Amino acid sequence: MPREPRRISRSGIYHVMLRGDGFMPNHRQYNFESEQKDGNNRQKQTEVKTWVHTFSHPDEHKEFMEKFKIASQFEMRYRGLLEFYGADLIAYKRKNMASQHVNEFLHILSKFFTDHLEDNCPSSWDECQSTFWEEFISTCYPQYMKLSTKHNESEIFLTQLIKFVKWLDKRSGTTCYTVVKEYAENNASELRNCEQLLNELHLHSFPRLHAGDWNPMEDISRIENELQDCDDTINSIFEVESIAGNLVTLCDIDSTKTYQVTDFPAEDVRPGILLEGTIGRKKYAFYWLWYHIEGVYPQIAQKYISFEN
């Protein structure tokens, strides 16, 4: 089933995403501007879709409320209860009630369906072909990747994904396991590199990230002040084109413009990897500086990303 690429809003809002070791949610977003408006300075209106579900028997309502309680443990949106995948995700959660890893995995998968695919969501597991799983792993998961000192979150995620599709094939007669397992094995190394780079760049912006007395608002205030000192700032998704010593050449995948960033604060950066974040340049400076990371994606994710101006 063809789907629209993930759309990135280029609203000019700078935000900081903090990814803690705690669950629900894996990232918290701090916006420094509140209203989004269109080109005519009018506030955008939100479209809301509603569903109506009729209960034919009291027991059906009771069962629905039980599913609702279970789904709330991994924060699946209400619409998921009425979609094809809802019953399977809830059944898998029932089978693994005590597993925090399962909880986190189901949270990300449900977000992929409800928030990322939205109205372009498949209508059955049979429509979830190889590109569906490739997009889920390469484009959706990195947005929910947790920071940790062990750098093993991507490994945990892929393990949980493989376990889930193996169970799903047995339960529903699908054939997802072979495709997902092969893709996971072939891309585990690149996803692990994304995780290492994400951690490294976050520690650059938030040096006391793992300290018990860390105050995130102090770091956010510092980053804001540093950006205000810049004459130019750009928030986008950049592809790493080349590396020469401490000079990294980035290409904005939206505008296709290139930028040379000096003193890049990471060693694990490699050509082809995608960096979502903010760069800035001070007055009279020739080179740009890296200021904040929001996400790190494997190169394949680029075909699932588009931009809204």
Side-chain angles (χ1 to χ4, degrees):
M1 178 181 178
R3 295 185 300 280
E4 292 292 327
R6 175 200 171 206
R7 299 201 175 275
I8 308 296
S9 175
R10 299 301 299 275
S11 61
I13 294 178
Y14 170 72
H15 59 274
V16 177
M17 301 175 70
L18 304 179
R19 306 161 186 254
D21 286 331
F23 177 60
M24 301 302 177
N26 288 337
H27 62 266
R28 298 183 296 279
Q29 183 167 303
Y30 296 82
N31 286 331
F32 299 114
E33 296 181 21
S34 55
E35 293 185 352
Q36 293 193 36
K37 300 182 180 181
D38 61 18
N40 296 318
N41 205 37
R42 296 171 302 190
Q43 189 168 353
K44 292 182 179 180
Q45 296 186 1
T46 303
E47 295 183 1
V48 179
K49 178 179 286 189
T50 60
W51 288 262
V52 176
H53 183 73
T54 303
F55 299 104
S56 58
H57 192 275
D59 289 343
E60 185 181 354
H61 178 265
K62 182 179 179 181
E63 174 65 16
F64 185 88
M65 293 308 297
E66 180 63 25
K67 290 180 179 180
F68 173 81
K69 291 179 181 178
I70 295 174
S72 67
Q73 294 183 34
F74 55 92
E75 292 193 345
M76 182 172 72
R77 289 174 60 184
Y78 301 152
R79 67 184 292 177
L81 295 168
L82 304 178
E83 299 285 1
F84 76 92
Y85 54 83
D88 291 317
L89 268 59
I90 291 169
Y92 192 68
K93 173 60 183 174
R94 278 176 167 160
K95 183 176 178 293
N96 301 275
M97 291 297 288
S99 174
Q100 184 70 9
H101 291 324
V102 168
N103 223 37
E104 296 179 4
F105 167 75
L106 292 177
H107 174 68
I108 299 171
L109 182 56
S110 68
K111 284 290 186 182
F112 183 50
F113 279 116
T114 60
D115 292 17
H116 296 262
L117 301 181
E118 296 187 287
D119 294 335
N120 293 307
C121 180
S123 59
S124 70
W125 289 114
D126 290 333
E127 292 187 8
C128 300
Q129 300 298 314
S130 59
T131 54
F132 170 90
W133 299 109
E134 182 180 74
E135 182 180 1
F136 176 52
I137 294 172
S138 68
T139 313
C140 175
Y141 168 63
Q143 297 175 62
Y144 298 91
M145 188 181 289
K146 291 168 58 179
L147 298 176
S148 72
T149 55
K150 296 181 179 179
H151 297 185
N152 64 346
E153 293 298 324
S154 60
E155 180 182 353
I156 292 172
F157 166 77
L158 292 177
T159 299
Q160 292 301 319
L161 173 59
I162 291 172
K163 287 182 177 179
F164 171 75
V165 294
K166 186 175 183 179
W167 171 87
L168 182 66
D169 282 0
K170 185 176 180 180
R171 170 182 165 90
S172 304
T174 54
T175 56
C176 302
Y177 176 76
T178 302
V179 172
V180 171
K181 188 173 186 295
E182 180 180 2
Y183 185 82
E185 290 176 347
N186 291 341
N187 293 273
S189 177
E190 187 173 8
L191 205 60
R192 185 164 51 250
N193 179 244
C194 291
E195 179 181 3
Q196 292 170 345
L197 187 54
L198 180 72
N199 276 271
E200 193 172 356
L201 290 174
H202 260 93
L203 283 173
H204 168 71
S205 298
F206 308 104
R208 294 182 54 78
L209 176 65
H210 299 298
D213 60 349
W214 174 53
N215 184 342
M217 298 312 297
E218 289 183 358
D219 283 332
I220 291 173
S221 178
R222 171 180 51 79
I223 293 172
E224 279 190 301
N225 291 334
E226 290 174 350
L227 289 171
Q228 288 173 0
D229 289 339
C230 294
D231 267 18
D232 301 295
T233 60
I234 299 172
N235 180 268
S236 189
I237 299 180
F238 307 90
E239 180 179 2
V240 177
E241 284 196 341
S242 63
I243 304 165
N246 67 345
L247 191 66
V248 176
T249 301
L250 303 178
C251 176
D252 184 336
I253 67 171
D254 179 26
S255 68
T256 69
K257 294 181 178 179
T258 59
Y259 304 91
Q260 289 188 312
V261 178
T262 189
D263 298 325
F264 193 80
E267 297 180 356
D268 291 320
V269 64
R270 300 176 185 177
I273 205 164
L274 304 181
L275 306 174
E276 182 175 10
T278 304
I279 60 175
R281 183 172 62 179
K282 295 184 178 181
K283 190 174 183 179
Y284 304 124
F286 182 79
Y287 294 115
W288 295 73
L289 295 173
W290 183 270
Y291 283 98
H292 178 67
I293 188 69
E294 295 170 29
V296 182
Y297 306 84
Q299 188 175 30
I300 193 67
Q302 186 167 343
K303 70 179 183 180
Y304 298 108
I305 297 172
S306 67
F307 294 83
E308 292 179 347
N309 294 313

